[in-house]
Amino acid sequence: MVIEFLFSVFPPLYEGGLLFFILLILVYAFIISGNLVIFVAVQLDMALHTPMYFFISVLSFLEIWYTTTTIPKMLSSLVCEKKTISLGGCLMQMYFFHSLGITEGCILTAMSIDRYIAICYPLRYPTIMTSKLCIQLTAGSCFCGFLLVLPEIAWIATLPFCGSNKIHQIFCDFTPVLSLACTDTSLVVIVDAIHAVEILASFLVIALSYIRIIMVILGMPSAEGRHKAFSTCAAHLAVFLLFFGSVAVMYLRFSATYSVFWDTVIAVTFVILAPFLNPIIYSLRNKEMKDAIGRLFHHKRDVRAQK
């Protein structure tokens, strides 16, 4: 028997589904194009070949795939009468969504460590944050992200599902799917504990790094130096608060329950809103990035003019 789950939160086309579809496809197009421009600009512009921009480009690359695991299925559910997903498709969506999400969390942690070393130990920074270390941190982030979720997905794949097949969420997630299993899922407490450790460990490292960074910045004698340091870290801090804030509300609740409406709002924040705002934060608040993007488009225009 083929098991399919039904997404119950998407409205029919005639009840606003088309409007949500148009808004979502515009947001998705901006997420893909914005993150792709940042990734390409960092790769092609020699001025951005630094550890900080390397991590930003990795984060932008991950955001493209992170949103692609969920938004295309949301779009199809908004315009199609059949708003279902197979068990295999659901498990694949959960695996890649959480793997990429954990990898992003690890990259954000690496970025905070990079800023900590750059501001607190500027003289030693070039010898510590080498290209080799950046690649190792990225590879380690991917390894943790794609390995940690695997046992959990394998366990869910063995569960029997019967009765109601309605998922009260905009994508396949652990809690909504486990609630449909017709067997004991008390092991979910262990799952919640694992998520909590992952989130809190990253949060603690990032928070301690930025507390130390702020203390060092406040001690700088030059007002111009303080302003430059704060502006450099402000974008990172904004992305960190947006991503980890919404993730913490969703996955550090344990036995607490929210209404379907608030569950959906929280999910939209870290599934759609955070990836939508990241390109804006990293491009509009960063002069070097804006200049690099400007050079990228000017170069393309010059190449077309020569042809």
Side-chain angles (χ1 to χ4, degrees), residues 3 6-7 22 37 50-51 72 137 145 163 173-175 181 239 241 266 268 276 285:
I3 300 173
L6 172 68
F7 292 110
I22 294 170
V37 165
T50 64
L137 288 171
D173 205 2
F174 294 125
T175 302
V239 171
L241 292 172
I266 296 165
V268 166
F276 174 77
R285 288 193 55 86

Side-chain angles (χ1 to χ4, degrees), residues 266-289:
I266 296 165
V268 166
T269 302
F270 66 84
V271 174
I272 301 171
L273 185 61
F276 174 77
L277 292 176
N278 284 355
I280 299 172
I281 293 169
Y282 282 125
S283 59
L284 296 183
R285 288 193 55 86
N286 190 307
K287 185 178 182 301
E288 290 178 328
M289 183 65 76

